[in-house]
């Protein structure tokens, strides 16, 4: 018996997607909020900032591994749209990973300060030296990549709104939580039978 194609992403994929959104929003709020405060605000908030970064990394890796074994929802876009969508999402993942890695490479605790601990327990290992670049250089690159990432996130949100409000092609619905596609198909079949029964042309 052939398996019905999916109309939505798997529940786990949806959950990891929205967890990524929440974690990124919290990370941005902390980076542009209390970490920009006076005095030692940056160092005081750095452990939480790094903890959320590691959480995002774990979510991304788990999501990519899960995605390998998950069939995407049924859609029939043009070849160009499929290529553009795939390229954009791959680049978005690469940007997120680049921000996380450069943030780690640019981390060095200040003198006479204890090293940051993830969620107050796990020790953060210092990144190895890479070429002739200093930690200050990586911190600079990290800050610039954050702005580029924010630009891509903005494009992603705008595209989602276009699909949802203008095109209304159901793309957004594939990422929402809902009943499985089998129940939806049974409902469609039931409605079709009902329409046929009410048709005046039925013998």
């Amino acid at each position: 018996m052939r398996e019905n194609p999916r109309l939505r992403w798997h529940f786990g994929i949806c959950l990891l997607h929205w967890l990524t959104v929440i974690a990124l929003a919290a990370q941005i709020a902390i980076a542009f909020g209390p970490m920009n405060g006076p005095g030692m605000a940056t160092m005081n908030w750095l452990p939480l900032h790094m903890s959320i970064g590691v959480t995002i990394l774990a979510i991304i890796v788990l999501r990519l591994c899960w995605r390998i074994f998950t069939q995407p929802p049924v859609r029939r876009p043009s070849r160009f749209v499929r290529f553009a969508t795939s390229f954009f999402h791959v680049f978005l993942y690469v940007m997120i990973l680049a921000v996380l890695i450069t943030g780690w490479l640019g981390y060095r605790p200040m003198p006479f300060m204890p090293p940051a601990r993830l969620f107050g327990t796990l020790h953060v290992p210092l990144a190895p030296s890479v070429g002739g670049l200093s930690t200050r250089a990586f911190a600079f690159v990290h800050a610039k990549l954050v702005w580029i990432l924010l630009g891509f996130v903005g494009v992603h949100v705008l595209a989602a709104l276009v699909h949802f409000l203008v095109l209304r092609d159901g793309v957004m619905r594939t990422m929402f939580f809902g009943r499985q596609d089998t129940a939806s198909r049974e409902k469609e079949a039931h409605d079709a039978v009902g329409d046929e029964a009410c048709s005046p042309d039925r013998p």
Side-chain angles (χ1 to χ4, degrees):
M1 181 178 179
R2 187 169 61 89
E3 182 181 359
N4 289 331
R6 284 188 171 275
L7 301 180
R8 300 177 188 270
W9 281 103
H10 190 279
F11 175 84
I13 296 292
C14 294
L15 179 62
L16 293 175
H17 171 268
W18 293 112
L19 287 177
T20 305
V21 172
I22 294 172
L24 283 174
Q27 192 76 311
I28 292 170
I30 293 173
F32 289 94
M35 284 191 72
N36 278 331
M40 298 297 294
T42 299
M43 298 306 298
N44 291 335
W45 284 89
L46 185 60
L48 179 59
H49 184 69
M50 298 188 69
S51 298
I52 297 177
V54 172
T55 302
I56 294 174
L57 177 62
I59 293 174
I60 292 296
V61 172
L62 179 58
R63 183 177 173 182
L64 290 175
C65 293
W66 200 324
R67 175 65 182 84
I68 294 175
F69 302 100
T70 302
Q71 291 294 328
V74 175
R75 291 179 56 210
R76 292 179 175 83
S78 64
R79 182 175 300 178
F80 173 78
V81 172
R82 289 199 305 269
F83 173 80
T85 301
S86 299
F87 178 81
F88 181 85
H89 281 89
V90 168
F91 199 83
L92 187 60
Y93 281 125
V94 170
M95 285 302 305
I96 294 175
L97 294 176
V99 168
L100 296 174
I101 293 173
T102 53
W104 178 51
L105 292 172
Y107 163 69
R108 282 296 185 274
M110 295 182 65
F112 308 108
M113 287 194 64
R117 293 185 177 275
L118 301 178
F119 303 106
T121 57
L122 300 177
H123 175 69
V124 180
L126 295 179
S129 300
V130 178
L133 294 177
S134 64
T135 56
R136 186 182 297 273
F138 279 115
F140 176 80
V141 173
H142 174 73
K144 297 302 180 183
L145 289 179
V146 168
W147 285 106
I148 298 175
L149 175 61
L150 288 176
F152 274 88
V153 170
V155 172
H156 184 62
V157 172
L158 181 61
L161 291 175
V162 169
H163 280 290
F164 184 68
L165 299 176
V166 180
L167 301 178
R168 298 183 179 181
D169 51 5
V171 171
M172 284 291 293
R173 189 167 58 249
T174 64
M175 194 53 72
F176 290 155
F177 298 105
R179 302 184 66 181
Q180 295 296 330
D181 57 303
T182 303
S184 300
R185 289 180 173 275
E186 288 178 355
K187 183 179 183 301
E188 292 175 2
H190 182 270
D191 293 341
V193 172
D195 294 340
E196 183 180 356
C198 295
S199 175
D201 298 331
R202 185 169 181 249

